[in-house]
Amino acid sequence: QTSLINFTVTIDGLEDQLLANVVRLERPDLEELKADLTKQQNDFKIRLKELEDSLLSRLTTAGGNFLGDTSLVENLETTKKTAAEIAEKVKEAKVTEQKINEAREHYRPAAARAALLYFILNDLNKINPMYQFSLKAFNVVFEKAVERAEKNDDVHIRVANLIDTVTFSVFNYTARGLFERDKLIFTTQVCFQILSMKKELKPDELDFLLRFPAVPNCTSPVDFLSNLSWGGIKALSAMEEFRNLDRDIE
């Protein structure tokens, strides 16, 4: 029997990795506390399993009179007490973990932008197979950008600075390795993807920009527009935001 494991990086998985990286650089105390909590939770599970195994072993080897076995009763009481203590600590740890996650989430927009940029880079090989970008090298660019970003005590302003610096650094890093004719495609793709991520890009407008579905057999009423361009104006006028554009030009 053979198991196939897919190690392909997903955008959500990469976003979580980059979030851990940026929090490690920005708030090492949070990341260290989160790691300690994870280890503590695992230790709790191991301790509970050991107590359960010990209790089951004693029950298996015990004679008919359980109540007469002092050692077994004491072990049962110890297991019960320890389980209660662990349950209380787990409850406290969950509250702490929630607070840590809330603090970490402030930095998610920066990680999301970086993950988006990497996948744009990763798709450039569809333009030219020689465009190959290493995730390891990308992480180096990302971490240097985090270090260069302007500091600010306000976390929201700091995250905005991180987003701008990461975007600019990745753009410069990528553009240096592109042919001149491909730089405009890359810039446009970055622009469209960022706008789409921010829900600021309307699909019908993007479709018009990319396909230019002009209305056929139109005669331009003005000298500065060709018949084809006027057909595009007519198609654009069918959208709510550009309604009556053709009449305004006429």
Side-chain angles (χ1 to χ4, degrees), residues 2-188:
T2 303
S3 296
L4 297 177
I5 303 175
N6 185 0
F7 288 101
T8 304
V9 178
T10 64
I11 190 165
D12 291 335
L14 180 58
E15 182 179 318
D16 288 337
Q17 290 179 36
L18 293 172
L19 177 61
N21 288 348
V22 71
V23 173
R24 174 175 53 81
L25 295 170
E26 292 289 298
R27 293 287 305 274
D29 56 319
L30 284 181
E31 204 59 22
E32 184 179 352
L33 185 56
K34 184 174 177 62
D36 290 342
L37 276 176
T38 302
K39 182 178 182 301
Q40 188 182 59
Q41 296 278 20
N42 290 335
D43 290 342
F44 287 158
K45 291 177 182 178
I46 292 170
R47 179 62 178 152
L48 280 175
K49 184 69 168 61
E50 289 174 348
L51 289 172
E52 289 173 1
D53 290 345
S54 174
L55 182 59
L56 287 173
S57 176
R58 286 181 177 275
L59 287 172
T60 303
T61 57
N65 185 10
F66 290 160
L67 297 177
D69 190 337
T70 307
S71 177
L72 177 61
V73 173
E74 289 177 352
N75 184 270
L76 181 60
E77 287 297 323
T78 301
T79 301
K80 183 179 178 182
K81 182 180 178 181
T82 306
E85 291 174 355
I86 289 177
E88 187 62 29
K89 289 180 181 178
V90 167
K91 190 176 179 181
E92 294 173 0
K94 285 183 177 179
V95 174
T96 305
E97 185 178 15
Q98 184 177 356
K99 292 179 180 178
I100 293 173
N101 288 336
E102 288 174 0
R104 292 173 87 248
E105 284 301 308
H106 289 306
Y107 297 94
R108 185 170 291 278
R113 173 64 63 85
L116 176 70
L117 292 171
Y118 175 74
F119 275 85
I120 294 173
L121 266 61
N122 205 41
D123 283 341
L124 288 176
N125 58 25
K126 296 175 182 177
I127 301 173
N128 192 315
M130 71 174 289
Y131 294 150
Q132 302 289 336
F133 295 90
S134 161
L135 180 56
K136 184 177 180 180
F138 179 84
N139 276 323
V140 172
V141 175
F142 173 73
E143 292 187 5
K144 286 185 176 179
V146 171
E147 293 169 0
R148 283 199 301 267
E150 184 179 347
K151 305 291 183 183
N152 198 293
D153 293 334
D154 188 322
V155 67
H156 298 291
I157 297 176
R158 172 60 176 166
V159 169
N161 293 339
L162 286 172
I163 291 172
D164 290 343
T165 306
V166 167
T167 304
F168 184 70
S169 298
V170 172
F171 178 84
N172 285 338
Y173 164 74
T174 309
R176 283 199 301 266
L178 301 180
F179 290 119
E180 200 65 33
R181 65 176 180 270
D182 296 328
K183 289 182 180 179
L184 181 59
I185 298 175
F186 171 59
T187 306
T188 305

Side-chain angles (χ1 to χ4, degrees), residues 219-222 224 230 233-234 244-250:
T219 302
S220 174
V222 292
F224 57 85
W230 184 249
I233 294 293
K234 297 295 282 186
N244 297 327
L245 175 62
D246 53 341
R247 294 180 186 178
D248 293 340
I249 294 176
E250 287 177 325

